[in-house]
């Protein structure tokens, strides 16, 4: 059994003189004497002081940035500045050498692009240590929030046969031989001979299945990977991302908005409380970056203030129609600065419009409701006006859409009409329609993109930097 002390604990330990063993990776080695060692348990390194005069040269040479070592020694109060404690090494053992010439991570600042190309090693940097710690804590907070409210965590399938939701942007799952696909009499691929006996895909959302759970368990949520084969090479889209999808029986759109706002505020507060060091580090990193920008482009709030601001203010709630009026009259629309000019009701909002509303007009998170039915999914509940549906999108600064949700259509006849209008085959979704036949009830839910949440809380700007191994068009390395 390997016994070691975690650096996180030692840094706040004041039992000076006791013998400790730490294991970790060398960040820097100065003057043949001082090692800054990290074991990943916290943002800070611990300082190891070597009695170099009594250590063989061959050993000292092997202590390089990146190598892993085990050190046993005495925990002592530090006289140097920058740390309270340090370790006077009595015994040092190299666990793994690191070829300093070839090691990509030198003790200097690397660009995020460079680190993305070295995603297998980027965990070793302070930035990614902080990002993935926050990602972990946010995931934990999501479960904590729903558990406290009595929601049931439900695992919806990753392989699905229904493609009603994601027509055209789904990844196929098959064991058929591509060079010799079985064909039907009419020449189409015969999926009856495929593994599942029918065409199958990776899920784009667990919502439809979560609705089945909600209509019995009352309140459920999913938290799992989802896949979209959309060719969007943006800083906000991944081909594989994680989504949180609560679904609640006996709830309307207002309940849905309240739940979403409560959830976001809870998990952000949780991160602030649990990840003070990490957020502080990322805040300073951003401030450092902003120094290179012209004054006008610098943000008014730092990262922590931005998070706090989001907690202290009610999200602005308005309808799509009201938003269109604001956008039509807005300066960038009048001056044709938007790439997509808003000239009438019915247009889908682009991220430039969403960000204008949030960042320039209201200067706080916004919930837009009651979108035109033409630009939303078949399952959203129709309003009396016959034109709009009970949809809601939550828009965040720097992100745009972070949540999309709706009150669901619980009336069978209206749902069937809408499916016919949109050419969605009923037989494939008979189980979804059964819900409306056997004890239907009003219900609502939404999808929160987990990486977009992590983007917001970490202040990172590219979604590829908040998931350990990003998948996007032409990239599935590591
Ligand atoms: P967008 O308009 O930004 O492409 P969407 O309307 O397609 O998003 P929904 O189907 O409503 O997204 O999915 C719910 C949530 O999942 C979104 O609000 C967003 O937070 C997240 N999301 C959607 N697509 C992606 C993606 N490709 N990568 C990462 N997160 C995503
Ligand atoms: Mn959406």
């Amino acid at each position: 059994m390997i016994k070691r002390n975690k650096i996180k604990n030692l840094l706040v330990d004041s039992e000076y003189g006791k013998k400790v063993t730490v294991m970790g990776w060398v960040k820097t080695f100065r003057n043949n004497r001082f090692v800054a060692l990290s074991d990943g348990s916290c943002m800070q390194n611990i300082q190891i002081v070597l009695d170099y005069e009594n250590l063989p040269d061959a050993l000292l040479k092997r202590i390089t940035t990146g190598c892993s070592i085990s050190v046993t020694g005495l925990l002592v109060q530090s006289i140097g500045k920058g740390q309270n404690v340090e370790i006077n090494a009595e015994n040092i053992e190299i666990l793994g050498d690191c070829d300093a010439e070839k090691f990509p991570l030198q003790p200097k600042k690397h660009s995020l692009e460079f680190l993305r190309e070295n995603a297998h090693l980027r965990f070793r940097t302070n930035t990614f240590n902080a990002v993935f710690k926050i990602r972990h804590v946010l995931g934990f907070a999501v479960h904590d929030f729903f558990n406290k409210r009595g929601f049931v965590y439900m695992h919806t399938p990753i392989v699905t046969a229904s493609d009603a939701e994601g027509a055209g942007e789904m990844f196929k799952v098959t064991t058929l031989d591509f060079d010799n696909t079985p064909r039907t009499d009419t020449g189409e691929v015969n999926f009856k001979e495929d593994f599942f006996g029918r065409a199958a895909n990776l899920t784009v959302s667990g919502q439809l299945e979560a609705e089945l759970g909600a209509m019995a368990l009352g309140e459920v949520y999913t938290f799992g990977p989802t896949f979209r084969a959309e060719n969007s090479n943006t800083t906000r889209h991944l081909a594989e991302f994680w989504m949180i999808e609560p679904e609640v029986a006996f709830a309307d759109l207002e309940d849905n908005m309240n739940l979403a706002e409560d959830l976001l505020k809870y998990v952000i507060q949780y991160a602030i409380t649990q990840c003070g060091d990490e957020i502080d580090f990322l805040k300073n990193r951003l401030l450092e970056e902003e120094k290179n920008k012209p004054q006008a482009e610098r943000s008014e709030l730092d990262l922590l203030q931005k998070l706090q601001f989001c907690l202290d203010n009610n999200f602005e709630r308005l309808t799509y129609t009201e938003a269109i009026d604001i956008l039509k009259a807005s300066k960038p629309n009048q001056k044709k600065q938007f790439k997509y000019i808003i000239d009438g009701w019915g247009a889908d909002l682009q991220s430039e419009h969403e960000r204008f509303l949030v960042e320039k007009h209201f200067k706080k998170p916004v919930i837009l409701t009651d979108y035109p039915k033409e630009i939303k999914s078949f399952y959203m509940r129709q309003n009396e006006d016959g034109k709009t549906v009970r949809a809601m999108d939550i828009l965040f600064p720097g992100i745009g859409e972070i949540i999309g949700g709706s009150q669901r259509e619980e009336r069978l006849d209206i749902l069937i009409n809408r499916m016919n209008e949109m050419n969605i085959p009923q037989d494939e979704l008979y189980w979804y329609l059964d819900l409306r036949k056997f004890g239907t009830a009003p219900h609502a839910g939404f999808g929160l993109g987990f990486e977009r949440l992590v983007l917001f809380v970490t202040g990172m700007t590219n979604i590829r930097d908040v998931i350990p191994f990003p998948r996007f068009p032409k990239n599935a390395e590591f």
Side-chain angles (χ1 to χ4, degrees):
M1 201 179 102
I2 295 177
K3 235 181 135 230
R4 67 173 175 120
N5 300 87
K6 286 204 189 175
I7 292 173
K8 183 187 172 122
N9 301 332
L10 293 182
L11 290 176
V12 293
D13 200 330
S14 51
E15 238 184 274
Y16 306 123
K18 80 169 167 189
K19 194 166 250 184
V20 298
T21 299
V22 288
M23 297 179 191
W25 296 269
V26 171
K27 283 290 175 102
T28 57
F29 184 32
R30 299 185 283 125
N31 304 344
N32 251 352
R33 181 132 206 232
F34 302 106
V35 174
L37 193 73
S38 158
D39 67 0
S41 62
C42 59
M43 296 286 307
Q44 294 87 2
N45 307 317
I46 200 161
Q47 173 154 290
I48 315 280
V49 185
L50 301 185
D51 179 11
Y52 63 100
E53 280 164 357
N54 292 316
L55 288 171
D57 260 2
L59 179 78
L60 290 173
K61 281 218 175 67
R62 290 172 66 194
I63 304 176
T64 59
T65 296
C67 80
S68 82
I69 60 175
S70 171
V71 178
T72 301
L74 298 183
L75 186 72
V76 297
Q77 196 160 14
S78 176
I79 46 166
K81 62 174 168 27
Q83 68 269 332
N84 289 328
V85 300
E86 57 192 24
I87 296 173
N88 281 342
E90 290 179 346
N91 187 38
I92 174 161
E93 187 192 335
I94 309 276
L95 299 175
D97 289 291
C98 180
D99 185 338
E101 300 280 293
K102 297 204 179 115
F103 188 47
L105 304 182
Q106 299 305 316
K108 61 160 196 172
K109 206 168 163 1
H110 294 287
S111 75
L112 294 171
E113 290 75 21
F114 174 84
L115 292 172
R116 225 170 282 142
E117 284 159 19
N118 290 281
H120 57 311
L121 297 170
R122 64 179 177 171
F123 301 98
R124 298 260 193 108
T125 64
N126 285 335
T127 299
F128 286 94
N129 181 303
V131 167
F132 292 124
K133 209 63 75 55
I134 292 172
R135 183 180 165 108
H136 157 74
V137 166
L138 284 170
F140 194 82
V142 165
H143 287 298
D144 192 48
F145 172 86
F146 286 120
N147 185 50
K148 279 199 176 115
R149 292 189 173 215
F151 281 62
V152 174
Y153 177 30
M154 176 173 168
H155 293 117
T156 49
I158 289 170
V159 175
T160 75
S162 90
D163 66 354
E165 262 229 274
E169 54 177 52
M170 301 186 91
F171 290 99
K172 292 191 173 60
V173 177
T174 178
T175 54
L176 290 179
D177 177 0
F178 284 174
D179 294 325
N180 189 15
T181 43
R183 299 279 162 169
T184 62
D185 295 344
T186 48
E188 283 130 19
V189 174
N190 187 1
F191 285 105
K192 285 212 173 72
E193 290 191 27
D194 202 350
F195 187 88
F196 295 106
R198 57 192 298 174
N201 303 294
L202 292 178
T203 184
V204 295
S205 155
Q207 178 204 320
L208 302 189
E209 291 91 349
E211 282 187 50
L212 304 176
M215 295 300 281
L217 296 162
E219 292 165 314
V220 302
Y221 72 105
T222 74
F223 188 171
T226 47
F227 306 85
R228 297 199 184 171
E230 53 190 355
N231 200 0
S232 13
N233 250 311
T234 77
T235 53
R236 300 173 312 114
H237 289 91
L238 291 163
E240 175 181 294
F241 65 100
W242 287 66
M243 188 145 66
I244 296 135
E245 295 178 280
E247 198 63 41
V248 184
F250 317 113
D252 62 13
L253 191 65
E254 196 185 342
D255 297 315
N256 210 24
M257 288 191 276
N258 292 342
L259 179 70
E261 187 166 341
D262 286 353
L263 169 66
L264 288 168
K265 287 180 169 168
Y266 184 87
V267 299
I268 291 168
Q269 178 64 62
Y270 200 96
I272 292 176
T273 312
Q274 300 285 320
C275 297
D277 284 353
E278 285 77 10
I279 290 174
D280 199 51
F281 175 85
L282 293 171
K283 176 188 95 179
N284 291 329
R285 185 187 161 277
L286 278 175
L287 290 175
E288 209 47 51
E289 268 191 2
E290 296 227 317
K291 281 188 189 153
N292 302 323
K293 288 190 190 165
Q295 190 73 38
E297 283 174 35
R298 294 184 199 165
S299 22
E300 292 161 34
L301 303 179
D302 71 26
L303 178 60
L304 186 58
Q305 287 167 333
K306 196 182 75 174
L307 300 179
Q308 196 57 50
F309 182 82
C310 180
L311 298 180
D312 295 342
N313 288 280
N314 292 329
F315 297 1
E316 187 72 33
R317 300 180 183 192
L318 68 158
T319 65
Y320 164 91
T321 305
E322 289 165 330
I324 286 289
D325 289 342
I326 293 171
L327 287 167
K328 263 202 292 202
S330 73
K331 245 202 209 147
N333 203 57
Q334 303 278 335
K335 292 193 168 169
K336 305 220 183 308
Q337 286 158 346
F338 281 144
K339 195 161 159 232
Y340 298 90
I341 300 303
I342 301 281
D343 50 12
W345 193 88
D348 204 353
L349 299 184
Q350 304 295 324
S351 112
E352 56 179 349
H353 308 127
E354 297 174 344
R355 293 184 59 173
F356 172 83
L357 290 170
V358 173
E359 291 160 25
K360 298 276 169 354
H361 191 82
F362 291 110
K363 292 184 189 285
K364 59 175 162 160
V366 167
I367 312 185
L368 290 188
T369 62
D370 303 289
Y371 283 74
K373 65 179 179 192
E374 282 73 24
I375 57 172
K376 288 291 180 187
S377 307
F378 73 93
Y379 49 71
M380 297 189 177
R381 194 177 199 280
Q382 279 191 52
N383 283 317
E384 303 309 314
D385 63 11
K387 285 170 27 189
T388 58
V389 288
R390 304 245 75 193
M392 65 163 201
D393 276 9
I394 302 192
L395 315 177
F396 258 40
I399 309 282
E401 180 187 331
I402 193 166
I403 280 182
S406 65
Q407 184 172 340
R408 317 306 188 190
E409 183 57 80
E410 85 282 16
R411 299 161 296 183
L412 182 66
D413 50 337
I414 297 177
L415 182 61
I416 289 180
N417 273 341
R418 190 68 192 135
M419 286 172 75
N420 289 340
E421 281 171 13
M422 295 174 75
N423 287 320
I424 295 170
Q426 286 176 46
D427 51 345
E428 265 186 41
L429 285 179
Y430 76 91
W431 46 273
Y432 190 70
L433 293 168
D434 270 1
L435 270 191
R436 278 77 183 164
K437 290 180 192 159
F438 307 133
T440 195
H443 62 290
F446 60 82
L448 163 62
F450 187 51
E451 284 74 20
R452 295 208 184 157
L453 171 68
V454 183
L455 263 184
F456 181 71
V457 176
T458 57
M460 301 296 281
T461 48
N462 191 323
I463 199 162
R464 297 172 188 178
D465 293 332
V466 298
I467 186 166
F469 302 105
R471 265 76 182 108
F472 49 92
K474 303 279 176 285
N475 191 298
E477 216 174 334
F478 310 113

